[in-house]
C-alpha cells in the first residue's frame, strides 16, 4: 500500500545548522498495518510523516501510495488519500466554523469544491449518526463552533474527520501528546477503533513506549533519520519497555513515561 | 437637525459603501488578511465605470466591468503572495501603488472624469421610479442582491473552503483543498465587490477621481468592525447585514460630523481614530458586541 523508498531530507543544507533529518530511509506498509513509531527528539519521526504527507518534499527517493507515485505531488492532492491528525489540537479544525461545517469540509475531500451546497441534510444525518460513535455527545452540538471544544474532543473530532472518507493512509503525529491522561486514553481508544481496519495503513508517532507496544501491530524505532528497529508479530509481542531501553540505551525520560 | 438631503445622501452612499464593506469583510474576516489593494481597486472600478459611461457604453455593462477589473487587481495581490511569497500586507501596498498609474491610464491620463452628461444606471430609471427615491431604491436593490449572493456563496463548498482557509491553512490542505487557489479566489472576489462599489460610486456621485481611493480600506474596516460590534455576528446572515449597516452608520457619522462643522479634511483622521479605538478595545470578539453586553446585563439583573 505505502512504499517509501530510500528517501533523504536535509534541512539547512550548506549552513552551520545542516541536519540530516531523514537518511536513506525505506519502509513498506501492507494494508491493515498499524505502525507505531518511537524515537527521541530529532530522530526524524515527524519529518518522515511530513515527507509522506507532502508538507515538504524529500531531497531524494520515492514515495508510492496505492500504486501511485506521489513524491512530487502537492500536499493538498495527496491529502485525498491520506488522513492526518496533528499534535496541536488547534491544527485539526477550523476553529471559527461549526462542528458540522468542519465535518462537511472533511467529507468533501474527494468531491469538487465548487458552488454546491456546503452541507446537505443527508450529510447532517450521516454526521449525527457517526458522531454518536465517539461517545462525546458531539452529535447534539453540531451547530457549535469548533473553538468551544476541549482538546480531547477536538482531537477525537479531527481523528473522525481524518477517517470519514476512508483514506488509504492515516498519519498520526503525537496526536495525544497535548491531552490530559483521560482524554489521551479516550482518543487512543478511538484510534484503535478506526485504525484497526484491514483496508487502512496507519502510522502513529508516540513518545510513549508502552503505548507504542500496546497499540497497532508493528513498531519501528528511529534514530538519526534511520530505522534502528522494526518489529512485528511474535518478536513484538515479547518485547517489553525494559528490553527496549536496554537494547537501545534510551536515555530519554520522556519516552519512559 | 440634519436636513433630509443629508440623510438621504448618507443612506444612499452608505449602501454603496456597504458593498465595499462586504468586499473588505471577505478578505479581512473570511481570509483574515487586511487587504490594502482596496485603496487602488476601488478607483480602478470607478475609472472603468466612468470611462465606459463617457464613451456611451451601457452603464450596467460598466458596473460589470468594474467588478471584473476589481477581481483582476485582487488576483494580482493574491499571486504576489502565493507565487512570490510576498507578505499579504506588502503585496497589497505594492498593487495599490501600481494601480495608481494604471487607474490614471484607464482615465486617459486625466485625474478627474465628470459623468454629468452621460447616462448612468440612475438615469436609465428616471420616470420609472419617483425621482426622490430613485437612488435609494436602486442602491438598496443592488446591496440586497449582493448580500444574498454573499450569503449563498459562503454556504457553498467553495465558501466553506474559503472560510476554513482563513481559519486554518494546515487543516485545509490536509482536507484536499488547494489553499492557494482559495486565497486567489477570495482576494479576487473581495476586490471585485470593491471595484463594483467604486463603479457605482462614480455613477452615483457623477465623477471618478484618481485620488478617491485614499483611506477606503480603513472605511471598509471601520464599517466591518463597527457594524459587527453594534449589530451582532450571531449568524452569517446577521453578520452580513451588520457589516452593511456598519457602512451606512459610518456615512451617517460622517454626515453628522460635517453637519456640526468639522472640516472635511479632518474626516480621514477621525476614520483612523475610530478603527484604532475599535481594534484597541478588541471590539472584535463576540463578548464585546452590544448584543452580548445587553444579554450579560439582563443576566446580572435577573
Amino acid at each position: 500500500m505505502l512504499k517509501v523508498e530510500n528517501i533523504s531530507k536535509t534541512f539547512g543544507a550548506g549552513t552551520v545548522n545542516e541536519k540530516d533529518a531523514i537518511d536513506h530511509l525505506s519502509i513498506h506498509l501492507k494494508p491493515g498495518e498499524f505502525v507505531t513509531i518511537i524515537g527521541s527528539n530529532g530522530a526524524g519521526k515527524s519529518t518522515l510523516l511530513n515527507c509522506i504527507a507532502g508538507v515538504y518534499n524529500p531531497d531524494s527517493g520515492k514515495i508510492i501510495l496505492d500504486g501511485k507515485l506521489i513524491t512530487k505531488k502537492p500536499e493538498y492532492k495527496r491529502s485525498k488519500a491520506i488522513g492526518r491528525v496533528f499534535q496541536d489540537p488547534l491544527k485539526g479544525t477550523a476553529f471559527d466554523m461549526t462542528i458540522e461545517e468542519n465535518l462537511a469540509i472533511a467529507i468533501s475531500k474527494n468531491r469538487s469544491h465548487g458552488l454546491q451546497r456546503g452541507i446537505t441534510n443527508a450529510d447532517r444525518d450521516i454526521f449525527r449518526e457517526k458522531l454518536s460513535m465517539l461517545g462525546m455527545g458531539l452529535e447534539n452540538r453540531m451547530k457549535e463552533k469548533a473553538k468551544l471544544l476541549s482538546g480531547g474532543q477536538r482531537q477525537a473530532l479531527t481523528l473522525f474527520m481524518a477517517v470519514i472518507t476512508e483514506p488509504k493512509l492515516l498519519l498520526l503525529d503525537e496526536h495525544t501528546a497535548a491531552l490530559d491522561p483521560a482524554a489521551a486514553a479516550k482518543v487512543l481508544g478511538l484510534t484503535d477503533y478506526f485504525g484497526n481496519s484491514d483496508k487502512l495503513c496507519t502510522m502513529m508517532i508516540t513518545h510513549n513506549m508502552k503505548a507504542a507496544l500496546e497499540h497497532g501491530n508493528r513498531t519501528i524505532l528511529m534514530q538519526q533519520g534511520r530505522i534502528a528497529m522494526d518489529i512485528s508479530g511474535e518478536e513484538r509481542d515479547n518485547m517489553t519497555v525494559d528490553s527496549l531501553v536496554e537494547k537501545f540505551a534510551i536515555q530519554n525520560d520522556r519516552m519512559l513515561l | 437637525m440634519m436636513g433630509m438631503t443629508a440623510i438621504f445622501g448618507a443612506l444612499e452612499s452608505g449602501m454603496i459603501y456597504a458593498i465595499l464593506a462586504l468586499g473588505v469583510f471577505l478578505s479581512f474576516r473570511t481570509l483574515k488578511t487586511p487587504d490594502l489593494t482596496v485603496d487602488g481597486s476601488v478607483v480602478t472600478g470607478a475609472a472603468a465605470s466612468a470611462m465606459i459611461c463617457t464613451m456611451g457604453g451601457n452603464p450596467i455593462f460598466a458596473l460589470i466591468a468594474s467588478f471584473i477589473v476589481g477581481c483582476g487587481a485582487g488576483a494580482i495581490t493574491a499571486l504576489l503572495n502565493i507565487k512570490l511569497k510576498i507578505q499579504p500586507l506588502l503585496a497589497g501596498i505594492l498593487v495599490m501603488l501600481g494601480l495608481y498609474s494604471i487607474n490614471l491610464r484607464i482615465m486617459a491620463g486625466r485625474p478627474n472624469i465628470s459623468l454629468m452628461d452621460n447616462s448612468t444606471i440612475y438615469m436609465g430609471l428616471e420616470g420609472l421610479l419617483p425621482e426622490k427615491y430613485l437612488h435609494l431604491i436602486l442602491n438598496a436593490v443592488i446591496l440586497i442582491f449582493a448580500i444574498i449572493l454573499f450569503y449563498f456563496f459562503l454556504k457553498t463548498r467553495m465558501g466553506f473552503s474559503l472560510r476554513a482557509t482563513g481559519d486554518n491553512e494546515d487543516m485545509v490542505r490536509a482536507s484536499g483543498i488547494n489553499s492557494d487557489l482559495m486565497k486567489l479566489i477570495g482576494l479576487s472576489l473581495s476586490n471585485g465587490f470593491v471595484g463594483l462599489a467604486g463603479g457605482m460610486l462614480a455613477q452615483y456621485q457623477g465623477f471618478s477621481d484618481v485620488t478617491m481611493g485614499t483611506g477606503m480600506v480603513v472605511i471598509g474596516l471601520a464599517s466591518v468592525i463597527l457594524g459587527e460590534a453594534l449589530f451582532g455576528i450571531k449568524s452569517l446572515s446577521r453578520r452580513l447585514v451588520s457589516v452593511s449597516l456598519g457602512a451606512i452608520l459610518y456615512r451617517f457619522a460622517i454626515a453628522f460630523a460635517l453637519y456640526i462643522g468639522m472640516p472635511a479634511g479632518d474626516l480621514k483622521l477621525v476614520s483612523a481614530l475610530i478603527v484604532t479605538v475599535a481594534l484597541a478595545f478588541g471590539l472584535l470578539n463576540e463578548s464585546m458586541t452590544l448584543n452580548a453586553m445587553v444579554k450579560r446585563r439582563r443576566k446580572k439583573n435577573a
Side-chain angles (χ1 to χ4, degrees):
Chain A
M1 187 68 96
L2 175 72
K3 283 185 192 163
V4 175
E5 286 180 0
N6 209 20
I7 64 163
S8 296
K9 178 75 188 171
T10 304
F11 289 112
T15 70
V16 283
N17 294 322
E18 181 170 308
K19 170 148 180 54
D20 293 326
I22 301 276
D23 187 10
H24 296 93
L25 182 147
S26 297
I27 183 171
H28 291 198
L29 261 71
K30 291 192 287 284
E33 272 195 309
F34 184 155
V35 184
T36 57
I37 305 170
I38 49 175
S40 54
N41 290 326
K45 309 181 298 291
S46 292
T47 308
L48 172 63
L49 256 53
N50 283 333
C51 280
I52 295 171
V55 177
Y56 16 78
N57 290 331
D59 300 330
S60 61
K62 278 194 285 189
I63 300 168
I64 296 160
L65 179 63
D66 197 26
K68 293 184 205 94
L69 187 70
I70 59 165
T71 322
K72 293 258 150 59
K73 271 199 183 177
E75 187 183 350
Y76 76 92
K77 281 192 183 159
R78 296 189 202 190
S79 301
K80 294 191 184 292
I82 300 177
R84 266 191 290 166
V85 184
F86 310 97
Q87 178 174 1
D88 180 355
L90 300 175
K91 267 181 123 183
T93 44
F95 59 89
D96 210 15
M97 297 176 75
T98 62
I99 294 174
E100 62 174 20
E101 285 170 341
N102 271 287
L103 286 165
I105 290 174
I107 208 171
S108 301
K109 210 179 210 182
N110 295 308
R111 304 173 179 168
S112 76
H113 297 98
L115 298 177
Q116 306 88 344
R117 272 176 70 180
I119 183 165
T120 62
N121 283 328
D123 287 337
R124 278 198 185 93
D125 290 340
I126 297 172
F127 298 159
R128 195 167 294 119
E129 185 197 321
K130 292 202 167 177
L131 272 177
S132 60
M133 297 188 327
L134 299 183
M136 290 179 160
L138 294 183
E139 64 275 16
N140 302 318
R141 299 174 62 185
M142 292 198 336
K143 302 252 184 221
E144 281 181 38
K145 291 202 168 158
K147 62 183 169 193
L148 298 173
L149 298 177
S150 70
Q153 288 169 333
R154 250 186 239 193
Q155 287 305 67
L157 180 63
T158 309
L159 181 64
F160 177 56
M161 284 164 61
V163 296
I164 198 168
T165 50
E166 296 180 358
K168 308 281 180 210
L169 180 65
L170 180 62
L171 301 177
L172 311 167
D173 189 351
E174 287 196 61
H175 64 311
T176 60
L179 306 179
D180 63 76
K186 173 93 190 166
V187 171
L188 271 176
L190 288 168
T191 306
D192 281 339
Y193 178 76
F194 290 121
N196 288 328
S197 147
D198 45 355
K199 280 180 281 179
L200 178 74
C201 293
T202 303
M203 296 175 91
M204 176 173 96
I205 296 178
T206 175
H207 258 112
N208 184 328
M209 291 207 283
K210 195 160 159 281
L213 293 175
E214 276 172 5
H215 298 271
N217 46 32
R218 181 175 168 190
T219 297
I220 63 173
L221 184 140
M222 287 185 67
Q223 278 176 340
Q224 284 150 9
R226 294 160 182 263
I227 294 175
M229 177 198 78
D230 185 348
I231 52 172
S232 56
E234 206 174 320
E235 188 187 2
R236 184 171 180 273
D237 294 339
N238 296 328
M239 185 62 79
T240 62
V241 173
D242 287 338
S243 52
L244 262 182
V245 174
E246 205 176 316
K247 204 166 164 192
F248 293 95
I250 290 162
Q251 288 157 352
N252 188 339
D253 286 345
R254 202 176 147 209
M255 288 176 64
L256 299 172
L257 295 174
Chain B
M1 195 48 218
M2 275 159 58
M4 280 311 275
T5 328
I7 291 176
F8 264 79
L11 207 53
E12 289 161 4
S13 61
M15 289 180 187
I16 298 178
Y17 280 95
I19 292 174
L20 175 124
L22 288 173
V24 171
F25 173 83
L26 199 61
S27 57
F28 183 59
R29 280 292 189 243
T30 309
L31 287 177
K32 312 246 176 357
T33 7
D35 174 26
L36 300 189
T37 319
V38 169
D39 277 19
S41 59
V42 69
V43 186
T44 314
S49 166
M51 279 314 277
I52 290 171
C53 287
T54 50
M55 290 188 298
N58 184 328
I60 295 173
F61 171 72
L63 291 186
I64 295 171
S66 300
F67 184 84
I68 293 171
V69 292
C71 287
I76 294 169
T77 303
L79 288 172
L80 290 186
N81 174 229
I82 298 162
K83 295 291 172 199
L84 305 180
K85 310 287 176 214
I86 298 171
Q87 293 165 20
L89 215 53
L90 196 51
I93 292 174
L94 291 173
V95 173
M96 175 181 83
L97 182 68
L99 280 178
Y100 184 88
S101 304
I102 292 175
N103 296 337
L104 211 50
R105 284 216 175 240
I106 294 176
M107 289 168 35
R110 286 172 291 170
N112 196 300
I113 289 179
S114 169
L115 283 177
M116 282 310 166
D117 309 319
N118 301 99
S119 75
T120 63
I121 45 168
Y122 304 102
M123 280 182 193
L125 290 173
E126 269 172 19
L128 286 171
L129 294 167
E131 199 176 336
K132 197 177 169 195
Y133 301 107
L134 185 147
H135 290 80
L136 200 63
I137 293 171
L138 191 52
N139 287 356
V141 167
I142 298 176
L143 173 60
I144 290 168
F145 184 66
I147 291 176
I148 293 173
L149 217 60
F150 254 79
Y151 179 78
F152 282 105
F153 174 69
L154 288 176
K155 291 276 183 190
T156 61
R157 273 189 215 150
M158 190 184 277
F160 278 16
S161 310
L162 211 64
R163 289 160 63 197
T165 303
D167 264 10
N168 187 344
E169 259 188 72
D170 291 312
M171 174 261 195
V172 162
R173 279 195 298 267
S175 304
I177 299 165
N178 185 346
S179 58
D180 287 345
L181 181 66
M182 288 304 140
K183 284 192 218 164
L184 179 67
I185 293 173
L187 280 183
S188 300
L189 285 179
S190 161
N191 282 287
F193 279 94
V194 170
L196 173 65
M200 286 176 70
L201 214 51
Q203 295 192 22
Y204 170 75
Q205 60 193 14
F207 67 89
S208 165
D209 189 293
V210 78
T211 62
M212 68 190 269
T214 313
M216 282 289 186
V217 69
V218 178
I219 293 175
L221 291 175
S223 306
V224 171
I225 296 169
L226 281 180
E228 288 183 343
L230 291 174
F231 305 108
I233 54 174
K234 204 154 184 277
S235 62
L236 181 62
S237 48
R238 170 80 165 268
R239 206 164 175 175
L240 294 174
V241 172
S242 293
V243 167
S244 307
L245 288 177
I248 294 167
L249 191 74
Y250 186 83
R251 294 316 296 177
F252 269 101
I254 299 279
F256 184 71
L258 291 172
Y259 171 72
I260 59 169
M262 182 183 280
D266 290 353
L267 291 177
K268 298 229 189 283
L269 179 63
V270 175
S271 309
L273 285 176
I274 291 175
V275 175
T276 308
V277 170
L279 289 172
F281 279 90
L283 285 176
L284 305 163
N285 51 42
E286 281 163 72
S287 61
M288 285 298 290
T289 63
L290 198 64
N291 211 24
M293 284 184 202
V294 171
K295 263 187 203 157
R296 267 205 299 274
R297 179 154 299 171
R298 269 193 211 136
K299 218 178 246 176
K300 220 181 197 178
N301 293 344

